[in-house]
Amino acid sequence: MQKVYIYKKFERFWHWTQAALIFFLALTGFEVHGSFSFLGYEQAVESHRVAAWMLLILIAFSIFWHFTTGEWRQYIPTFSKLQAQIRYYTVGIFKGEPHPTRKSVRKKLNPLQALTYLGFKLVMAPLLVITGIVYMFYRTIDANNMVIVSDIPLEIVAFLHTLGAYLIIMFAIVHVYMTTTGHTPTSNIRAMLTGYEDLEDDSEQPLKDENKKEE
Amino acid sequence: MKKVVFSIILASIGILILIHIAYDPPLPNLGELKLKQEYAIKPTSPVDHSLFEELQKDFNSPQEVTEACIECHNQRHKEVIASSHWNWERISYVEDRGIASMGKSNVLNNYCIGASSNEQSCAACHIGFGMTNDRFDFDNARNVDCMVCHDNSEEYRKGSAMAGYPDRSVNLTQVAQSVGRPQRMNCGACHFYSGGGNNVKHGDLEESLLSTTREVDVHMAANGMNMTCVDCHSAENHNIKGKLYSVSSSDENRLTCDHCHTSTPHMDRMLDLHTAKVACQTCHIPTYAKVNPTKMEWRWSEAGKLKDGQPYHVTDTASGAETYMSIKGSFRWEKDVKPEYYWFNGHATHYVLGDQVDSIPVQINRLLGSAADNRSKIYPVKVHRGDQIYDPETNMLIQPKLWAAEKGDSAYWKDFDWQLAAEAGMKRVGLPYSGNHEFVNTEMYWPVNHMVAPKEEALSCEECHSRDDSRLAGLNDFYMPGRDSHAGLDFIGRLLIIAAMAGVILHGLGRIVSAIRNKEIESEEINTNYNQ
Ligand code: HEM
């Protein structure tokens, strides 16, 4: 085992801010949806909108980060060990078998994770973001009598947005649970907090070279 | 170094955002302040009519007063003669009907039903003298009643059942010398008491507005802006702004709040966006009939019960309101009423005498509009329900003759005979009557515009945006966040969440159990090793 710096500062900042914002957006969003009352409708709407803007800015930064660092390659799905990974979570984990894949700075995600997160980034997040933006600018008649978005029925926008919301909550539940399947139940979470994780020491490259390569 | 600068910038932005969320500085609403200043200065009369010699004499008839007015104001009577207060009707284009002249002569209501054949009594609210029947001369300027609107002494009063003539006790000289801008009582004399008593018809226009508080009406309150009716209902050439849709039908010469307040009066963009679809009244008049009750239901079918051959009435001891009258039937009154809400684009259609009834309850007037129509807004409405006389064979509502001075003149209020009243009334309006009558349910729609509450009492979001008991529960032709949702999606969504939770819990338990079991096996192995 070797202590490896795996999650960089921005990545951790991005991850936790996004987590908090999504949690808050779910809370206020479902209050807007009428599922419960908590902050009060007016406050829920305002907060949802502010948090949505914060999330949009964060997403913009994270897209920039992913492309400039090349980290986006982490999400390219590989199918070679996908089946083994699925077998591990459904069978192997109960037998105390070892993880079929190895986590490293270059390969932080196992094939199943890569696929799921890709789905998150390409389906769930855009679904929420696009419908959310349409929702936000949904006006029938603006103050200046400018018709902006009114030909798409709000019903459909809200349906898709809410669908995305349910999916993301489901994702979050499973995601949080899956973090407990690391070496120890808390090792993954600790890594995302501190940046360091104990990984098997036969990682191909020492940390420093790795960073250089990425640049 | 760069990193430090960057994180400081980021932290500052974060803090600014948080401050913005947590603290909204109360900005002054300059538009509103300006309006308040403007209306704080009350108009004063440039002349004193009591000094005019022409008015310092005894008038033998009210017509003489009118002549005196016309001597100086020598064109104004023409304006009055062109107005709907005088003509009791208006020509307009009405959807599905074309160009039509509609007014009190051919449009009914579900209170006292209609003026035709009852003019002697109903003309107490006509701005003229001597409208005793349908042969009134609408071109005779002498019969224009200037005083009813312009008397500032509160001396002038129309006589009861005197065809629009003033009460005999009125001192015409005093009235003539104290004319001026119409005051609340001038308008109120008719508009507060329409339908036969205070607040019967409108619900939001009644005598408590003569002197009221901000809680009841922010505009008219003595401790508020202290405005009079004509401050808003201004007139150009005696054509007064504002429409009452019990008789009006077109979106023209209307008076809306945004004439003064603009369509973006709030200091909040989210609220301002609502004004495209929601009338100001909807949020700012949470309830009407705040002081005195208004009639919500009137059942003519119960009229005519007599005690010892005599008509009687029943008064509710708590509210003092009449709940039964032999001449009119039974009533239901309500105070502090939450309005009903409808889409309305400023156009209305009416049941016009002679029309076929096409729906039951009959809609005596119908406010037009829908969510899809972008001229429509959601308005608060008083809906007055009741039943009234109807001819099942001709399928028409009946104009009954209600009023007469004496018995034996076919008037229902004297003879209590619907048959005679229907016959006489329909004959007067020139329509057939089969000899059969029934009572049919009717509805009338009165947009609520007055009794604007202080802004703190405006509806909160939840009053409408809520799943249960939304005030707009009845308007189902559009999607409203918080009220509406896709039931199927909610079901599946919840199912997904429960499935995820269940899966996670089961998986977790499985891991714990297998971990324990694996440990046991391990320790067994160790134990056996040890034993060897
Ligand atoms: C950038 C992302 C997002 C944007 C721009 C956005 C925007 C909006 C807007 C404008 C509304 C309508 C209420 C209002 O006007 O405030 C709304 C409603 C809602 N939002 Fe979001 N939102 C975003 C992310 C999310 C997320 C992450 C969730 C949940 C996890 C969520 C859940 C909901 C729900 C459930 C509703 C209620 C929909 C309805 O019942 O009509 N939103 N969102």
Side-chain angles (χ1 to χ4, degrees):
Chain A
M1 284 293 187
Q2 185 194 350
K3 208 165 201 182
V4 181
Y5 188 54
I6 181 165
Y7 298 121
K8 277 156 227 125
K9 223 179 221 157
F10 176 81
E11 207 171 4
R12 285 176 284 139
F13 165 77
W14 161 61
H15 175 270
W16 290 113
T17 318
Q18 175 160 291
L21 284 174
I22 287 179
F23 176 77
F24 187 70
L25 282 163
L27 192 75
T28 50
F30 277 95
E31 175 158 16
V32 172
H33 186 59
S35 304
F36 50 80
S37 43
F38 171 58
L39 295 174
Y41 201 86
E42 187 169 8
Q43 197 56 51
V45 168
E46 304 253 300
S47 316
H48 195 80
R49 290 193 165 213
V50 175
W53 277 114
M54 288 164 79
L55 184 62
L56 286 175
I57 294 167
L58 187 70
I59 288 174
F61 272 104
S62 82
I63 290 173
F64 182 74
W65 180 83
H66 274 90
F67 281 101
T68 50
T69 57
E71 283 285 310
W72 63 276
R73 287 193 198 88
Q74 301 270 6
Y75 303 97
I76 298 170
T78 51
F79 298 97
S80 56
K81 287 199 171 165
L82 188 59
Q83 232 170 349
Q85 194 65 40
I86 293 171
R87 205 200 87 92
Y88 170 73
Y89 283 131
T90 51
V91 183
I93 195 167
F94 299 114
K95 294 191 178 160
E97 284 174 12
H99 279 267
T101 50
R102 200 167 284 154
K103 192 170 182 177
S104 70
V105 174
R106 268 183 84 185
K107 256 200 141 329
K108 296 172 190 170
L109 309 174
N110 71 45
L112 192 60
Q113 271 177 316
L115 198 64
T116 320
Y117 295 174
L118 189 69
F120 178 91
K121 283 175 154 56
L122 291 186
V123 182
M124 259 181 265
L127 180 66
L128 268 167
V129 167
I130 293 168
T131 56
I133 289 174
V134 174
Y135 209 144
M136 194 155 356
F137 289 97
Y138 194 89
R139 311 248 199 301
T140 42
I141 302 166
D142 185 281
N144 308 318
N145 276 359
M146 262 167 59
V147 177
I148 300 179
V149 197
S150 64
D151 289 344
I152 316 162
L154 185 59
E155 202 160 356
I156 291 173
V157 178
F159 179 91
L160 294 175
H161 195 69
T162 313
L163 174 70
Y166 277 120
L167 290 178
I168 218 167
I169 289 176
M170 198 181 72
F171 165 83
I173 293 169
V174 177
H175 174 69
V176 169
Y177 171 73
M178 293 302 260
T179 61
T180 66
T181 60
H183 270 297
T184 69
T186 56
S187 63
N188 279 333
I189 295 177
R190 202 172 299 147
M192 193 46 97
L193 282 168
T194 62
Y196 290 94
E197 183 167 2
D198 290 329
L199 296 180
E200 264 144 81
D201 35 5
D202 55 355
S203 51
E204 310 94 310
Q205 304 267 335
L207 180 63
K208 277 186 184 156
D209 293 3
E210 183 79 25
N211 270 345
K212 267 187 193 138
K213 247 176 128 184
E214 298 275 88
E215 276 168 13
Chain B
M1 193 54 207
K2 254 188 200 161
K3 257 186 188 169
V4 177
V5 172
F6 184 69
S7 39
I8 288 175
I9 291 173
L10 216 65
S12 324
I13 292 175
I15 290 167
L16 282 177
I17 291 173
L18 285 178
I19 289 174
H20 178 78
I21 300 169
Y23 177 66
D24 261 324
L27 295 168
N29 189 335
L30 295 177
E32 197 187 296
L33 286 177
K34 198 170 153 232
L35 274 179
K36 283 183 175 161
Q37 285 313 325
E38 192 179 329
Y39 283 89
I41 296 155
K42 305 294 177 190
T44 47
S45 173
V47 292
D48 182 348
H49 281 84
S50 67
L51 301 179
F52 293 139
E53 246 165 62
E54 291 85 343
L55 301 176
Q56 290 166 350
K57 64 172 193 184
D58 285 336
F59 294 98
N60 296 318
S61 70
Q63 277 95 343
E64 281 180 21
V65 181
T66 301
E67 281 163 2
C69 301
I70 294 178
E71 264 175 50
C72 294
H73 303 278
N74 63 13
Q75 294 300 312
R76 293 300 190 187
H77 55 288
K78 293 182 185 162
E79 297 169 7
V80 174
I81 285 175
S83 76
S84 42
H85 273 116
W86 170 260
N87 288 311
W88 270 11
E89 66 181 11
R90 206 184 261 130
I91 293 169
S92 56
Y93 174 78
V94 183
E95 240 150 282
D96 299 334
R97 199 182 282 281
I99 297 169
S101 168
M102 302 214 289
K104 288 188 190 294
S105 58
N106 59 355
V107 168
L108 296 186
N109 64 59
N110 62 357
Y111 295 82
C112 291
I113 303 182
S116 300
S117 76
N118 305 307
E119 287 88 350
Q120 181 79 26
S121 171
C122 298
C125 283
H126 181 239
I127 56 162
F129 308 120
M131 186 199 261
T132 51
N133 53 33
D134 58 349
R135 285 183 293 278
F136 181 72
D137 181 3
F138 283 98
D139 294 324
N140 187 349
R142 290 184 76 238
N143 283 334
V144 169
D145 185 350
C146 308
M147 293 176 284
V148 68
C149 299
H150 292 284
D151 168 34
N152 281 179
S153 66
E154 301 202 2
E155 159 73 11
Y156 191 81
R157 223 158 27 84
K158 291 264 200 185
S160 154
M162 285 177 63
Y165 278 100
D167 197 81
R168 286 191 181 81
S169 66
V170 171
N171 177 346
L172 294 174
T173 307
Q174 186 196 330
V175 173
Q177 291 184 5
S178 42
V179 289
R181 207 165 173 259
Q183 299 302 310
R184 288 174 201 183
M185 195 55 211
N186 298 96
C187 308
C190 288
H191 293 282
F192 293 165
Y193 303 100
S194 51
N198 182 43
N199 210 17
V200 166
K201 270 187 179 169
H202 293 261
D204 60 339
L205 284 183
E206 58 125 338
E207 62 192 13
S208 76
L209 294 177
L210 292 172
S211 164
T212 192
T213 59
R214 291 194 78 240
E215 282 61 47
V216 176
D217 189 306
V218 290
H219 296 107
M220 299 182 83
N223 64 345
M225 286 313 298
N226 206 9
M227 290 163 72
T228 61
C229 309
V230 295
D231 282 341
C232 295
H233 294 274
S234 55
E236 219 166 279
N237 305 331
H238 282 94
N239 183 19
I240 298 177
K241 264 207 170 61
K243 283 281 174 90
L244 174 58
Y245 285 91
S246 55
V247 284
S248 304
S249 40
S250 73
D251 182 12
E252 200 191 283
N253 197 31
R254 260 172 106 192
L255 176 61
T256 53
C257 310
D258 51 334
H259 287 195
C260 285
H261 290 282
T262 77
S263 62
T264 52
H266 310 93
M267 301 297 285
D268 181 311
R269 178 152 174 75
M270 201 69 210
L271 293 179
D272 279 346
L273 285 172
H274 280 72
T275 61
K277 286 286 175 191
V278 182
C280 311
Q281 295 92 315
T282 298
C283 299
H284 291 280
I285 309 178
T287 61
Y288 60 93
K290 291 190 210 171
V291 183
N292 293 304
T294 184
K295 238 173 233 185
M296 300 304 291
E297 210 177 291
W298 181 325
R299 305 223 151 264
W300 277 99
S301 57
E302 304 197 16
K305 291 178 206 161
L306 301 177
K307 262 186 193 158
D308 308 324
Q310 291 301 317
Y312 68 100
H313 51 96
V314 180
T315 305
D316 180 59
T317 41
S319 64
E322 272 162 336
T323 54
Y324 183 77
M325 288 170 90
S326 301
I327 59 167
K328 294 181 174 178
S330 69
F331 316 122
R332 195 169 57 77
W333 298 77
E334 244 179 87
K335 221 186 100 171
D336 260 323
V337 195
K338 277 190 189 178
E340 295 179 37
Y341 299 90
Y342 292 91
W343 288 105
F344 180 43
N345 61 16
H347 295 271
T349 61
H350 294 78
Y351 178 88
V352 173
L353 270 172
D355 281 354
Q356 294 289 307
V357 162
D358 60 359
S359 70
I360 291 179
V362 185
Q363 286 169 329
I364 305 265
N365 70 337
R366 190 178 295 161
L367 306 178
L368 302 178
S370 69
D373 168 15
N374 64 12
R375 290 169 314 163
S376 296
K377 295 185 185 189
I378 296 170
Y379 274 84
V381 177
K382 170 187 168 180
V383 184
H384 183 253
R385 301 185 163 85
D387 61 20
Q388 71 197 65
I389 188 165
Y390 157 77
D391 184 335
E393 264 150 63
T394 60
N395 196 30
M396 287 179 195
L397 293 181
I398 291 173
Q399 166 67 64
K401 180 174 171 67
L402 297 172
W403 189 91
E406 302 294 338
K407 271 191 184 176
D409 207 2
S410 304
Y412 187 78
W413 287 351
K414 295 288 181 203
D415 299 334
F416 297 99
D417 186 338
W418 280 122
Q419 203 62 14
L420 292 176
E423 223 175 271
M426 290 304 262
K427 193 168 161 213
R428 239 303 290 286
V429 296
L431 287 171
Y433 171 54
S434 72
N436 260 345
H437 73 265
E438 273 178 13
F439 289 85
V440 68
N441 284 334
T442 56
E443 289 176 346
M444 226 185 146
Y445 295 80
W446 296 73
V448 176
N449 297 307
H450 308 95
M451 296 200 173
V452 174
K455 62 169 165 280
E456 301 74 36
E457 280 164 37
L459 295 191
S460 68
C461 311
E462 285 89 347
E463 294 269 355
C464 298
H465 291 277
S466 69
R467 186 85 12 113
D468 313 308
D469 58 59
S470 161
R471 286 205 187 215
L472 301 186
L475 290 182
N476 288 313
D477 55 348
F478 68 106
Y479 178 88
M480 182 163 77
R483 178 192 70 173
D484 299 326
S485 68
H486 192 286
L489 175 63
D490 273 347
F491 178 75
I492 291 171
R494 259 171 228 162
L495 214 64
L496 282 179
I497 291 176
I498 292 169
M501 294 282 241
V504 157
I505 290 170
L506 288 178
H507 197 272
L509 285 176
R511 272 167 65 205
I512 293 169
V513 170
S514 63
I516 295 169
R517 207 185 296 135
N518 290 346
K519 219 178 243 164
E520 270 168 14
I521 294 167
E522 255 172 50
S523 52
E524 259 170 42
E525 273 167 10
I526 293 165
N527 284 345
T528 37
N529 281 343
Y530 185 75
N531 285 344
Q532 267 177 356

